[in-house]
Every structure is written in C-alpha cells, then in structure tokens.
Amino acid sequence: ELALAGLVVAGTAPVWALVTVASVGNIAGSVVNWGIGRGAGHLAARLHPAGRRAAAVQAAVSRAGTLFRRFGSWTLLFSWAPVIGDPLTLVAGASGVSLSRFLIFVSIGKIVRFVAVAAIARFALSG
C-alpha cells in the first residue's frame, strides 16, 4: 500500500496502471495460496498416509472447510485484510472453491482495496 501510495503521489505512471499492476500481482499471490490449499490435504496424505500427522492435517482442513462453507465464499471479499487474508485464500482452496468463483470474490476485494488506497493517496496526500 505504501509503495502504491508513493507512486500515485509521485505521478510516475497513470493511476489506473498502478492499480492494475498492484491488483494483478496481489491476486496472483492469492491464487498461489488457493493452489497450496487445494493440494494440502492430498500432499499430507501422500507424505504420511497412515500417520497421525496426516490425520491431524486432514481433520484441520475438514474443520476449516466446514466453517468456510458455513459463512460462504463472500468471505473472500476480505482476502485483502492483513492477518486473515492469506488463511482465507488457503481455506478456500482446501474447501474446493472453484477457481472462477475464487477469482471473482478475491478480485473484487483486492481491486476495491487498491482503488481506495490510490484515491486516498491522490486526494489526501498530494494536496
């Protein structure tokens, strides 16, 4: 956010381009998390098929999936938030949320965040 705000205030590039680059990069990182979540249970089972660790990981993923399904994919609108954003994207992958649904919610949340940062920088900080 600070880098984006600084670049907006400095006027180094069009605001739309800065917001686009920040959003695409951040969304791409979330897709990586989704993919890690998607494969986490399978990987744990392959590494320790009969071990207690695999059972514990699978139980944790199952519990997280239950909670995620209870509150729905709309929670991905908060994937931009510090501390909770990355775990939300991991759980979405582990819960089997489709990539297209994931991208819709995550993109909305992250683009709105970067538009707000750019707007604040442009109108409040450049004054």
Side-chain angles (χ1 to χ4, degrees), residues 18-46:
L18 295 170
V19 168
T20 300
V21 169
S23 298
V24 168
N26 215 265
I27 292 165
S30 293
V31 170
V32 170
N33 285 346
W34 174 87
I36 291 169
R38 191 78 156 185
H42 302 297
L43 179 61
R46 287 177 53 199

Side-chain angles (χ1 to χ4, degrees), residues 41 55-69 91 94-95:
V57 169
Q58 289 170 343
V61 168
S62 177
R63 283 192 305 274
T66 299
L67 289 172
F68 186 80
R69 284 187 292 277
V91 170
S95 298

Side-chain angles (χ1 to χ4, degrees), residues 27-110:
I27 292 165
S30 293
V31 170
V32 170
N33 285 346
W34 174 87
I36 291 169
R38 191 78 156 185
H42 302 297
L43 179 61
R46 287 177 53 199
L47 293 175
H48 303 284
R52 288 173 47 194
R53 186 175 299 164
V57 169
Q58 289 170 343
V61 168
S62 177
R63 283 192 305 274
T66 299
L67 289 172
F68 186 80
R69 284 187 292 277
R70 178 177 175 200
F71 294 106
S73 297
W74 65 269
T75 58
L76 290 169
L77 293 172
F78 298 99
S79 63
W80 60 267
V83 181
I84 66 167
D86 287 339
L88 280 174
T89 58
L90 284 165
V91 170
S95 298
V97 173
S98 70
L99 183 57
S100 58
R101 184 173 189 84
F102 176 85
L103 283 172
I104 290 167
F105 285 104
V106 169
S107 296
I108 290 168
K110 291 187 184 265

Side-chain angles (χ1 to χ4, degrees), residues 109-125:
K110 291 187 184 265
I111 291 168
V112 167
R113 168 181 141 202
F114 287 123
V115 166
V117 168
I120 290 168
R122 186 163 191 182
F123 297 110
L125 300 178

